[in-house]
Amino acid sequence: AEEVDATPIPEAPTGLTASAGAASGQGDLQWNPSPGADSYTIYYSKDGGNTFTAISPNVTGTSYPHTGLNDGTEYTYYVVANNAGGTSESSDTISATPGVEPPDPPTNLMATAGSGEVTLNWTAVDGADDYTIYVSTGGGDYTVISPNVTGTSFTHTNLTNGTNYYYYVVANNEGGASADSNVVSATPTDSGPGFT
């Protein structure tokens, strides 16, 4: 029998963010690398439409500037990863509106460790619709753990005691994502708050 070398399709891209900025006519997209991906295809729609159009089919990096946009128009994006095996599922969608200033970054981010969990708190940002939380266990490779937090606290659960977790938060509105907050770290332990 003839052997077939089947390449598994890549995983869907994660961590998609879009930032438009004030009167820029441009949306800057970024996302996390997908294991197994050779390239990415970016899709967009305007003003909440359900029809998405590919704007760039063979992006090899993990960022893309979408130029020539209309200020005040909301653009919605998603990204798929490609390789010889095929195309991934779609990333989450993200929206941005050129001509609307993104919010300031969150401040005073603090982390409190418990057993198997870390609770984050930060100061509310004027003009923010919600917040996106990123985590890393070191090495600078952050992933999104919660994209649409509407309050100013979040508890990350099911963690490994004794492992150090690093976090930062960004604020979002229709103009896109803010710059990053300060980075905090915490190490869950079974002698954390609530344990004697």
Side-chain angles (χ1 to χ4, degrees):
E2 184 178 335
E3 285 190 19
V4 177
D5 184 17
T7 302
I9 65 172
E11 297 176 19
T14 61
L16 177 63
T17 61
S19 184
S24 67
Q26 176 170 313
D28 294 312
L29 306 172
Q30 291 188 319
W31 57 93
N32 296 326
S34 292
D38 294 330
S39 66
Y40 301 90
T41 304
I42 301 163
Y43 293 84
Y44 83 102
S45 70
K46 293 197 307 189
D47 279 339
N50 292 322
T51 301
F52 283 79
T53 303
I55 54 173
S56 190
N58 291 299
V59 175
T60 54
T62 56
S63 63
Y64 182 81
H66 189 200
T67 57
L69 307 184
N70 297 320
D71 287 342
T73 297
E74 181 184 59
Y75 293 83
T76 303
Y77 299 92
Y78 70 84
V79 179
V80 298
N82 312 298
N83 67 12
T87 300
S88 74
E89 297 289 320
S90 304
S91 71
D92 291 337
T93 58
I94 192 82
S95 297
T97 304
V100 176
E101 193 75 62
D104 290 332
T107 57
N108 301 317
L109 177 63
M110 295 182 294
T112 304
S115 180
E117 65 182 35
V118 172
T119 299
L120 304 172
N121 292 278
W122 59 93
T123 301
V125 177
D126 286 343
D129 294 333
D130 56 42
Y131 302 90
T132 303
I133 299 167
Y134 293 80
V135 67
S136 172
T137 53
D141 187 17
Y142 284 84
T143 57
V144 174
I145 54 171
S146 192
N148 300 115
V149 176
T150 54
T152 56
S153 66
F154 178 82
T155 300
H156 191 199
T157 58
N158 300 316
L159 304 182
T160 302
N161 287 334
T163 297
N164 203 14
Y165 294 85
Y166 299 83
Y167 299 91
Y168 69 85
V169 179
V170 301
N172 309 296
N173 67 11
E174 63 181 7
S178 73
D180 302 342
S181 72
N182 56 301
V183 173
V184 294
S185 65
T187 305
T189 170
D190 59 11
S191 60
F195 289 83
T196 55

PDB file of all heavy atoms in Angstrom, residues 84-102:
ATOM      1  N   ALA A  84       0.079  22.953   4.230  1.00  0.00           N
ATOM      2  CA  ALA A  84      -0.186  22.012   3.140  1.00  0.00           C
ATOM      3  C   ALA A  84      -1.378  21.118   3.432  1.00  0.00           C
ATOM      4  O   ALA A  84      -2.010  20.581   2.513  1.00  0.00           O
ATOM      5  CB  ALA A  84       1.052  21.166   2.880  1.00  0.00           C
ATOM      6  N   GLY A  85      -1.710  20.944   4.723  1.00  0.00           N
ATOM      7  CA  GLY A  85      -2.833  20.095   5.095  1.00  0.00           C
ATOM      8  C   GLY A  85      -4.181  20.766   4.956  1.00  0.00           C
ATOM      9  O   GLY A  85      -5.215  20.098   4.941  1.00  0.00           O
ATOM     10  N   GLY A  86      -4.196  22.098   4.880  1.00  0.00           N
ATOM     11  CA  GLY A  86      -5.459  22.812   4.749  1.00  0.00           C
ATOM     12  C   GLY A  86      -5.504  24.063   5.585  1.00  0.00           C
ATOM     13  O   GLY A  86      -4.468  24.656   5.915  1.00  0.00           O
ATOM     14  N   THR A  87      -6.706  24.449   5.942  1.00  0.00           N
ATOM     15  CA  THR A  87      -6.972  25.707   6.639  1.00  0.00           C
ATOM     16  C   THR A  87      -7.568  25.423   8.013  1.00  0.00           C
ATOM     17  O   THR A  87      -8.434  24.558   8.154  1.00  0.00           O
ATOM     18  CB  THR A  87      -7.950  26.571   5.820  1.00  0.00           C
ATOM     19  OG1 THR A  87      -7.357  26.838   4.549  1.00  0.00           O
ATOM     20  CG2 THR A  87      -8.252  27.884   6.516  1.00  0.00           C
ATOM     21  N   SER A  88      -7.126  26.185   9.010  1.00  0.00           N
ATOM     22  CA  SER A  88      -7.605  26.012  10.381  1.00  0.00           C
ATOM     23  C   SER A  88      -9.029  26.526  10.537  1.00  0.00           C
ATOM     24  O   SER A  88      -9.591  27.171   9.641  1.00  0.00           O
ATOM     25  CB  SER A  88      -6.697  26.774  11.347  1.00  0.00           C
ATOM     26  OG  SER A  88      -6.949  28.180  11.251  1.00  0.00           O
ATOM     27  N   GLU A  89      -9.581  26.277  11.718  1.00  0.00           N
ATOM     28  CA  GLU A  89     -10.796  26.982  12.125  1.00  0.00           C
ATOM     29  C   GLU A  89     -10.468  28.472  12.245  1.00  0.00           C
ATOM     30  O   GLU A  89      -9.314  28.865  12.323  1.00  0.00           O
ATOM     31  CB  GLU A  89     -11.281  26.447  13.483  1.00  0.00           C
ATOM     32  CG  GLU A  89     -11.674  24.977  13.486  1.00  0.00           C
ATOM     33  CD  GLU A  89     -12.962  24.727  12.728  1.00  0.00           C
ATOM     34  OE1 GLU A  89     -13.895  25.546  12.853  1.00  0.00           O
ATOM     35  OE2 GLU A  89     -13.023  23.723  11.994  1.00  0.00           O
ATOM     36  N   SER A  90     -11.503  29.294  12.303  1.00  0.00           N
ATOM     37  CA  SER A  90     -11.315  30.740  12.424  1.00  0.00           C
ATOM     38  C   SER A  90     -10.902  31.113  13.841  1.00  0.00           C
ATOM     39  O   SER A  90     -11.311  30.467  14.805  1.00  0.00           O
ATOM     40  CB  SER A  90     -12.615  31.476  12.089  1.00  0.00           C
ATOM     41  OG  SER A  90     -13.071  31.129  10.808  1.00  0.00           O
ATOM     42  N   SER A  91     -10.111  32.182  13.941  1.00  0.00           N
ATOM     43  CA  SER A  91      -9.848  32.777  15.253  1.00  0.00           C
ATOM     44  C   SER A  91     -11.133  33.413  15.760  1.00  0.00           C
ATOM     45  O   SER A  91     -12.138  33.491  15.048  1.00  0.00           O
ATOM     46  CB  SER A  91      -8.774  33.856  15.121  1.00  0.00           C
ATOM     47  OG  SER A  91      -9.303  34.991  14.428  1.00  0.00           O
ATOM     48  N   ASP A  92     -11.096  33.892  16.999  1.00  0.00           N
ATOM     49  CA  ASP A  92     -12.183  34.754  17.467  1.00  0.00           C
ATOM     50  C   ASP A  92     -12.206  36.019  16.616  1.00  0.00           C
ATOM     51  O   ASP A  92     -11.187  36.407  16.037  1.00  0.00           O
ATOM     52  CB  ASP A  92     -11.971  35.130  18.931  1.00  0.00           C
ATOM     53  CG  ASP A  92     -12.147  33.940  19.873  1.00  0.00           C
ATOM     54  OD1 ASP A  92     -12.831  32.970  19.491  1.00  0.00           O
ATOM     55  OD2 ASP A  92     -11.593  33.990  20.987  1.00  0.00           O
ATOM     56  N   THR A  93     -13.358  36.691  16.542  1.00  0.00           N
ATOM     57  CA  THR A  93     -13.418  37.958  15.817  1.00  0.00           C
ATOM     58  C   THR A  93     -13.082  39.106  16.761  1.00  0.00           C
ATOM     59  O   THR A  93     -13.249  39.009  17.977  1.00  0.00           O
ATOM     60  CB  THR A  93     -14.813  38.199  15.211  1.00  0.00           C
ATOM     61  OG1 THR A  93     -15.785  38.191  16.256  1.00  0.00           O
ATOM     62  CG2 THR A  93     -15.150  37.134  14.177  1.00  0.00           C
ATOM     63  N   ILE A  94     -12.584  40.194  16.163  1.00  0.00           N
ATOM     64  CA  ILE A  94     -12.233  41.396  16.917  1.00  0.00           C
ATOM     65  C   ILE A  94     -12.611  42.594  16.053  1.00  0.00           C
ATOM     66  O   ILE A  94     -12.541  42.521  14.830  1.00  0.00           O
ATOM     67  CB  ILE A  94     -10.730  41.416  17.289  1.00  0.00           C
ATOM     68  CG1 ILE A  94     -10.422  42.511  18.312  1.00  0.00           C
ATOM     69  CG2 ILE A  94      -9.847  41.545  16.068  1.00  0.00           C
ATOM     70  CD1 ILE A  94     -10.712  42.127  19.720  1.00  0.00           C
ATOM     71  N   SER A  95     -13.032  43.686  16.689  1.00  0.00           N
ATOM     72  CA  SER A  95     -13.459  44.861  15.936  1.00  0.00           C
ATOM     73  C   SER A  95     -12.661  46.088  16.344  1.00  0.00           C
ATOM     74  O   SER A  95     -12.178  46.188  17.476  1.00  0.00           O
ATOM     75  CB  SER A  95     -14.946  45.141  16.162  1.00  0.00           C
ATOM     76  OG  SER A  95     -15.739  44.075  15.694  1.00  0.00           O
ATOM     77  N   ALA A  96     -12.535  47.017  15.406  1.00  0.00           N
ATOM     78  CA  ALA A  96     -11.887  48.298  15.676  1.00  0.00           C
ATOM     79  C   ALA A  96     -12.492  49.351  14.753  1.00  0.00           C
ATOM     80  O   ALA A  96     -12.936  49.034  13.645  1.00  0.00           O
ATOM     81  CB  ALA A  96     -10.379  48.223  15.467  1.00  0.00           C
ATOM     82  N   THR A  97     -12.502  50.610  15.226  1.00  0.00           N
ATOM     83  CA  THR A  97     -13.064  51.718  14.465  1.00  0.00           C
ATOM     84  C   THR A  97     -12.020  52.816  14.325  1.00  0.00           C
ATOM     85  O   THR A  97     -11.703  53.488  15.313  1.00  0.00           O
ATOM     86  CB  THR A  97     -14.317  52.284  15.162  1.00  0.00           C
ATOM     87  OG1 THR A  97     -15.263  51.231  15.356  1.00  0.00           O
ATOM     88  CG2 THR A  97     -14.949  53.388  14.332  1.00  0.00           C
ATOM     89  N   PRO A  98     -11.452  53.012  13.119  1.00  0.00           N
ATOM     90  CA  PRO A  98     -10.515  54.122  12.942  1.00  0.00           C
ATOM     91  C   PRO A  98     -11.186  55.463  13.258  1.00  0.00           C
ATOM     92  O   PRO A  98     -12.381  55.636  13.035  1.00  0.00           O
ATOM     93  CB  PRO A  98     -10.147  54.049  11.452  1.00  0.00           C
ATOM     94  CG  PRO A  98     -10.469  52.650  11.051  1.00  0.00           C
ATOM     95  CD  PRO A  98     -11.634  52.223  11.896  1.00  0.00           C
ATOM     96  N   GLY A  99     -10.395  56.375  13.799  1.00  0.00           N
ATOM     97  CA  GLY A  99     -10.923  57.679  14.158  1.00  0.00           C
ATOM     98  C   GLY A  99     -11.434  57.740  15.578  1.00  0.00           C
ATOM     99  O   GLY A  99     -11.834  58.797  16.047  1.00  0.00           O
ATOM    100  N   VAL A 100     -11.431  56.601  16.287  1.00  0.00           N
ATOM    101  CA  VAL A 100     -11.788  56.557  17.700  1.00  0.00           C
ATOM    102  C   VAL A 100     -10.532  56.166  18.469  1.00  0.00           C
ATOM    103  O   VAL A 100      -9.900  55.154  18.164  1.00  0.00           O
ATOM    104  CB  VAL A 100     -12.917  55.548  17.968  1.00  0.00           C
ATOM    105  CG1 VAL A 100     -13.195  55.446  19.461  1.00  0.00           C
ATOM    106  CG2 VAL A 100     -14.175  55.951  17.210  1.00  0.00           C
ATOM    107  N   GLU A 101     -10.172  56.970  19.438  1.00  0.00           N
ATOM    108  CA  GLU A 101      -8.944  56.717  20.194  1.00  0.00           C
ATOM    109  C   GLU A 101      -9.127  55.490  21.083  1.00  0.00           C
ATOM    110  O   GLU A 101     -10.099  55.395  21.823  1.00  0.00           O
ATOM    111  CB  GLU A 101      -8.641  57.930  21.062  1.00  0.00           C
ATOM    112  CG  GLU A 101      -7.251  57.939  21.664  1.00  0.00           C
ATOM    113  CD  GLU A 101      -6.179  58.276  20.662  1.00  0.00           C
ATOM    114  OE1 GLU A 101      -6.191  59.378  20.093  1.00  0.00           O
ATOM    115  OE2 GLU A 101      -5.317  57.410  20.459  1.00  0.00           O
ATOM    116  N   PRO A 102      -8.199  54.509  21.004  1.00  0.00           N
ATOM    117  CA  PRO A 102      -8.263  53.399  21.964  1.00  0.00           C
ATOM    118  C   PRO A 102      -8.089  53.918  23.389  1.00  0.00           C
ATOM    119  O   PRO A 102      -7.548  55.010  23.597  1.00  0.00           O
ATOM    120  CB  PRO A 102      -7.075  52.508  21.562  1.00  0.00           C
ATOM    121  CG  PRO A 102      -6.738  52.900  20.171  1.00  0.00           C
ATOM    122  CD  PRO A 102      -7.088  54.352  20.062  1.00  0.00           C
TER     123      PRO A 102
END
